[in-house]
Amino acid sequence: MRTSIKLGGYALGLVAVFGAALGVGNLVGDPAPVAGGAAPAHPAPAVGVPGGLQVSQDGYRLVPASRELATGAPAQFAFRVLGPDGQPVTRYTATHEKDLHLIVVRRDLSGFQHVHPTLAADGTWSIPLRAGAPGQYRVFADFQPAGRDSGLTLGVDVPAAGLYRPVAVPAPAPVAAVDGYQVTLAGALVPGTSSKLTLTVTRAGQPVTDLQPYLGAYGHLVALRDGDLAYLHVHPDEASTDPGPAITFYAEVPSTGTYRLYLDFKHGDTVRTAEFTAAAGTGAAAAAPAATPTPDHGHD
Ligand SMILES: [Cu+2]
């Protein structure tokens, strides 16, 4: 008897707190959590909603003119960005030396491409593109319209016709090989913080110390979340000016989970991409390899 009375009182208390929170929220017209001792009804995310998950945001819309990607010879891929007035955006503020960065990746995180299309006077962007294999692709446009003080990343699904054979995301590993180069990833992705990542480039066991500038830095890093391809903000460390072997970035991951990192770096006049899988978690859990499945969770 005593227990049920206690429970009843507790439930009433909860209703009162929740009601108060709703009341304040309605008054100020703001869904932000209510300050105070009580647990907020809607905790704010530590980081804002990631980019790339929407085809339209803040009135801007990504509109492909091409219905699919070619898998044979490269074919022109064209699109426009429509502004809040419904008209194609024709003026941009360059970020990382370009008015627009186009990222193309298959939904299984394979087949990554980072290219820079050409803008026509009517606001149509185009570039010859070829998908490496059939499947559903995500196309991201990363840009900043002129007169807007922040960038946007819009994403749209575009298919490449044919038999789709998905590949598994590789297991987390700190070393990636590309074209005779080895790139080592150091640093842990910690959700809700700006995580420092250092990528070190070597070739034949020797540190590469003459990296060439690419997009205003000695490397360009894109990170995508496994599961929904959320596109993350990654900033090069402005203070690190050495042309290798280490390149430093700050990545903001919005959640625990698995991420695929794509580092573009330029050496010998060629841009190459080193790819990593990294797990974001807390402390040692992030660095540890994937846990062996527990054989038995019990049937009790
Ligand atoms: Cu770019």
Side-chain angles (χ1 to χ4, degrees):
M1 255 338 228
R2 213 186 294 161
T3 305
S4 63
I5 289 167
K6 270 185 182 168
L7 281 175
Y10 180 59
L12 279 175
L14 277 183
V15 169
V17 169
F18 188 56
L22 278 179
V24 173
N26 288 343
L27 276 177
V28 299
D30 188 344
V34 180
H42 304 282
V47 188
V49 174
L53 296 175
Q54 303 181 88
V55 74
S56 177
Q57 186 186 337
D58 299 350
Y60 292 89
R61 193 151 67 94
L62 175 58
V63 182
S66 310
R67 304 187 76 88
E68 58 183 76
L69 296 173
T71 52
Q76 207 69 3
F77 180 78
F79 63 94
R80 295 185 302 174
V81 175
L82 302 186
D85 59 358
Q87 298 302 308
V89 177
T90 56
R91 293 173 53 247
Y92 294 81
T93 299
T95 57
H96 303 295
E97 298 188 337
K98 298 287 180 182
D99 279 355
L100 185 143
H101 303 265
L102 194 72
I103 304 296
V104 181
V105 68
R106 203 166 70 170
R107 276 221 160 261
D108 60 1
L109 294 168
S110 70
F112 176 90
Q113 297 182 57
H114 174 181
V115 294
H116 301 107
T118 304
L119 178 62
D122 71 350
T124 301
W125 290 94
S126 62
I127 187 164
L129 263 188
R130 174 186 179 279
Q136 188 77 336
Y137 283 76
R138 190 71 171 170
V139 174
F140 300 96
D142 181 341
F143 61 93
Q144 183 171 337
R148 191 186 144 97
D149 61 7
S150 62
L152 278 172
T153 304
L154 302 180
V156 66
D157 279 355
V158 180
L163 182 61
Y164 174 35
R165 298 184 185 282
V167 297
V169 177
V175 180
V178 55
D179 277 0
Y181 293 82
Q182 273 207 328
V183 184
T184 305
L185 169 68
L189 291 172
V190 181
T193 70
S194 189
S195 308
K196 182 178 181 178
L197 299 177
T198 302
L199 294 119
T200 304
V201 184
T202 61
R203 186 165 66 162
Q206 298 300 311
V208 174
T209 56
D210 57 345
L211 291 172
Q212 295 166 298
Y214 177 60
L215 303 174
Y218 286 111
H220 186 272
L221 187 65
V222 166
L224 301 174
R225 181 167 63 186
D226 183 27
D228 63 1
L229 274 58
Y231 182 101
L232 307 191
H233 292 280
V234 183
H235 308 281
D237 181 7
E238 309 285 351
S240 79
T241 52
D242 291 338
I247 319 168
T248 305
F249 296 91
Y250 289 92
E252 301 162 34
V253 295
S255 71
T256 56
T258 301
Y259 293 82
R260 190 75 171 157
L261 276 47
Y262 307 86
L263 171 74
D264 296 323
F265 64 98
K266 188 173 180 181
H267 190 245
D269 294 328
T270 301
V271 177
R272 297 176 177 84
T273 305
E275 303 188 11
F276 301 86
T277 299
T282 50
T292 308
T294 310
D296 188 4
H297 285 284
H299 301 276
D300 48 2

